[in-house]
Structure formats: structure tokens, C-alpha cells
Amino acid sequence: TKRLFLYPPSDARHLYPCNDLSRSAVLPFSRFADLPAELKEKFALVEGARPLEVTLRAGDILYLPSTWWHCVEGSDDRNMILNWWFEFHPKKKALAFGSS
């Protein structure tokens, strides 16, 4: 099995995008309530994020649309993940990230 937290594009402002805006500075699989006080202060916007928690089992497939944030936790069993990345169309990139 795999457990995923999926964040819609509208949650990006709560996830502290960094690097090329494809990564988050926030600890994955950490609920705001469980963070230590210093991290709650540092990442205060995380409290506004509303992830969907999904569990995938053998034979399941998940299509994750562009600009959805996610983190994945595997199990001790054998499992596989396949990613196929595409370049953003410039207009979609501007809408998603506020860039030109």
C-alpha cells in the first residue's frame, strides 16, 4: 500500500514552495497540530492547507493532475511508482505560479 497526501493547487500558498516551485519546505506527513512550537511559528500558513489523504492498494492507479502537491509514503511491501513529467505550457505556469 501507499499513503498519499494530496494538496490542490489552491493550497500552494500554504506549503512554502521553494527551489523551482516544485518542492515544499514543510515536513511531509506532519499535521500542523503535531508540529513542535518552533515549526508552527516558522510554517504558520500550513494550518490553512486542506490535504486529501488517499490510500492506494495493489491494482489501484492514481492520476495526479498538474500543479497538485503531494507526498507519498510507501509500505514495507514491494511497490512501484511511475512518474511521467511534462513541461508546463507558459500560460498554465503563469496561472499556477503567478510567473510569466
Side-chain angles (χ1 to χ4, degrees):
T1 61
K2 288 187 185 298
R3 180 174 70 137
L4 298 93
F5 284 170
L6 308 176
Y7 298 84
S10 59
D11 274 358
R13 65 184 176 273
H14 303 288
L15 300 175
Y16 297 85
C18 60
N19 297 335
D20 62 354
L21 303 179
S22 68
R23 303 283 183 259
S24 172
V26 181
L27 301 171
F29 296 107
S30 297
R31 300 207 184 274
F32 185 79
D34 298 334
L35 292 175
E38 66 273 8
L39 292 181
K40 285 182 183 178
E41 184 177 333
K42 183 175 182 178
F43 298 119
L45 296 177
V46 171
E47 190 172 21
R50 299 290 176 251
L52 304 171
E53 188 172 339
V54 175
T55 301
L56 297 177
R57 293 181 175 76
D60 289 344
I61 188 169
L62 173 72
Y63 169 74
L64 189 62
S66 178
T67 72
W68 274 69
W69 294 75
H70 64 285
C71 50
V72 181
E73 178 182 70
S75 67
D76 291 335
D77 299 330
R78 282 188 187 173
N79 58 71
M80 182 180 77
I81 198 165
L82 173 66
N83 294 309
W84 191 272
W85 299 97
F86 296 92
E87 289 293 321
F88 284 110
H89 184 280
K91 288 182 181 178
K92 287 186 178 182
K93 185 175 183 178
L95 286 172
F97 300 110
S99 60
S100 53

